[in-house]
Amino acid sequence: MLLYTEMITAAAIVHGDSARLLHFSAAERPLALQLGGSDPDLLAAAARVGAEAGYDEINLNCGCPSDRVHAGAFGACLMQTPDRVAIASPHCASPCAFRSP
């Protein structure tokens, strides 16, 4: 069984207190970090931080229908711009897989 974090924005990880945001217990493994965002460079940076923090998978949220998330140009609205998702996906740090639903 794979456990997912709540969605955390890439900007919060890169510009905020990533140690607090990404802290987890070994009992929660395997654990996937669920990222929110639409900027490929910011997503890549957040994915690297997540991989360094020990997450087993990095997941780009392409399904959240929330109005607030949509206003930030991420979540389900990313399905309207698959090119943006395609640009972001190869930038994920190994050994994590960058997946979307």
Side-chain angles (χ1 to χ4, degrees), residues 26-97:
E28 297 173 292
R29 297 195 75 181
L31 183 61
L33 172 60
Q34 185 178 188
L35 290 177
S38 60
D39 179 295
D41 294 329
L42 204 54
L43 287 165
R48 281 190 295 275
V49 173
E52 290 168 3
Y55 281 85
D56 300 296
E57 177 180 306
I58 307 297
N59 177 274
L60 175 59
N61 183 305
C62 292
C64 183
S66 159
D67 289 339
R68 182 174 176 207
V69 168
H70 183 77
F74 56 97
C77 70
L78 285 177
M79 298 306 285
Q80 297 171 349
T81 57
D83 55 322
R84 186 175 296 272
V85 176
I87 291 168
S89 60
H91 296 288
C92 181
S94 182
C96 295

